[in-house]
Amino acid sequence: GQQVMQIPQYQHVQEGEDFTTYCNSSTTLSNIQWYKQRPGGHPVFLIQLVKSGEVKKQKRLTFQFGEAKRNSSLHITATQTTDVGTYFCAGQTSYDKVIFGPGTSLSVIP
Amino acid sequence: DVKVTQSSRYLVKRTGEKVFLECVQDMDHENMFWYRQDPGLGLRLIYFSYDVKMKEKGDIPEGYSVSREKKERFSLILESASTNQTSMYLCASSLSHSPHTEAFFGQGTRLTVV
């Protein structure tokens, strides 16, 4: 079936280091969303990417959507302790279905 | 401010019990969803609804049913709870599904079946 994978599953970084999580789909996506879930919290929407090759920035966060619309990445520059949490991508398939990736859990060591 | 409210944060139920998880949204959203979240598996879709009285199976509907009698309320029912249904359950709503717009999540219900 259709799948959305994310790597890595876990990432531990020193505060100030950069962090990247990658999202890969088995099929072409019409769009992709990213969510952040703080420990003990619920997923909160960060951004949606629609166009092939699209790049969007939110302060220290950079989101990319691949040219083939089958992969995406989230890059955080100079991580802070407030970045701790699990980052999920969610891809919308051509069948109008949204599939969540398993998430990347980020720990930041002060 | 947008709000999705789930009736309980924590629930403990016995095997075989019928369990109701309630979700209410105040944004007049058409779409509502129930997910379960398990470590390493992310969010898996149980059921969704794009309109009142409408329901569609998600990826893991077995052992669950849903009810949407009013636009703002989407209930998840475990007909006969089993220990493998111990999980975090998340309700979400969104304005549009074609294309899908931002989903707003409730705070989650951690269900333990003993």
Side-chain angles (χ1 to χ4, degrees):
Chain A
Q2 295 163 325
Q3 284 189 315
V4 172
M5 304 305 297
Q6 275 184 263
I7 54 169
Q9 188 174 1
Y10 301 98
Q11 185 81 59
H12 306 277
V13 300
Q14 203 76 36
E15 189 172 17
E17 290 182 342
D18 292 356
F19 159 77
T20 305
T21 173
Y22 299 92
C23 179
N24 293 289
S25 169
S26 58
T27 58
T28 302
L29 301 170
S30 54
N31 64 68
I32 194 154
Q33 299 174 341
W34 283 91
Y35 292 80
K36 176 184 177 182
Q37 183 175 24
R38 294 182 189 273
H42 57 273
V44 174
F45 176 83
L46 293 176
I47 208 159
Q48 179 165 293
L49 304 171
V50 179
K51 298 177 185 174
S52 169
E54 189 170 13
V55 178
K56 284 189 177 180
K57 292 193 175 187
Q58 287 180 350
K59 297 183 180 177
R60 294 179 295 104
L61 277 61
T62 302
F63 303 85
Q64 292 190 330
F65 200 11
E67 293 289 343
K69 300 183 80 173
R70 290 181 64 172
N71 56 73
S72 180
S73 65
L74 158 58
H75 179 82
I76 303 178
T77 304
T79 54
Q80 299 174 358
T81 54
T82 53
D83 296 324
V84 165
T86 301
Y87 293 85
F88 294 97
C89 63
Q92 181 171 355
T93 71
S94 54
Y95 296 101
D96 219 25
K97 192 176 170 185
V98 171
I99 304 174
F100 276 81
T104 295
S105 179
L106 172 65
S107 299
V108 178
I109 306 159
Chain B
D1 200 18
V2 157
K3 206 161 185 184
V4 179
T5 304
Q6 294 182 228
S7 52
S8 306
R9 281 301 298 267
Y10 301 94
L11 271 180
V12 180
K13 296 290 181 181
R14 294 193 181 279
T15 301
E17 273 194 82
K18 191 168 185 175
V19 182
F20 293 86
L21 302 182
E22 305 286 345
C23 175
V24 177
Q25 52 96 1
D26 64 358
M27 297 161 283
D28 203 34
H29 282 172
E30 298 290 337
N31 312 316
M32 297 189 76
F33 309 85
W34 275 106
Y35 294 90
R36 65 176 281 177
Q37 183 175 21
D38 301 287
L41 297 177
L43 280 69
R44 292 182 292 165
L45 183 62
I46 305 171
Y47 266 95
F48 61 98
S49 168
Y50 289 159
D51 201 353
V52 176
K53 305 239 184 230
M54 177 269 184
K55 57 187 177 184
E56 290 283 346
K57 292 180 181 179
D59 299 317
I60 50 163
E62 295 79 19
Y64 303 95
S65 62
V66 289
S67 171
R68 192 161 182 206
E69 296 295 317
K70 293 186 177 181
K71 190 176 185 181
E72 66 270 20
R73 187 180 296 270
F74 194 35
S75 304
L76 179 69
I77 303 148
L78 285 67
E79 298 291 341
S80 177
S82 63
T83 54
N84 63 14
Q85 292 179 309
T86 291
S87 187
M88 171 68 85
Y89 289 87
L90 288 162
C91 174
S93 73
S94 69
L95 182 63
S96 165
H97 67 274
S98 192
H100 276 274
T101 53
E102 171 184 358
F104 295 86
F105 285 84
Q107 77 277 28
T109 296
R110 185 163 294 282
L111 173 68
T112 303
V113 182
V114 298

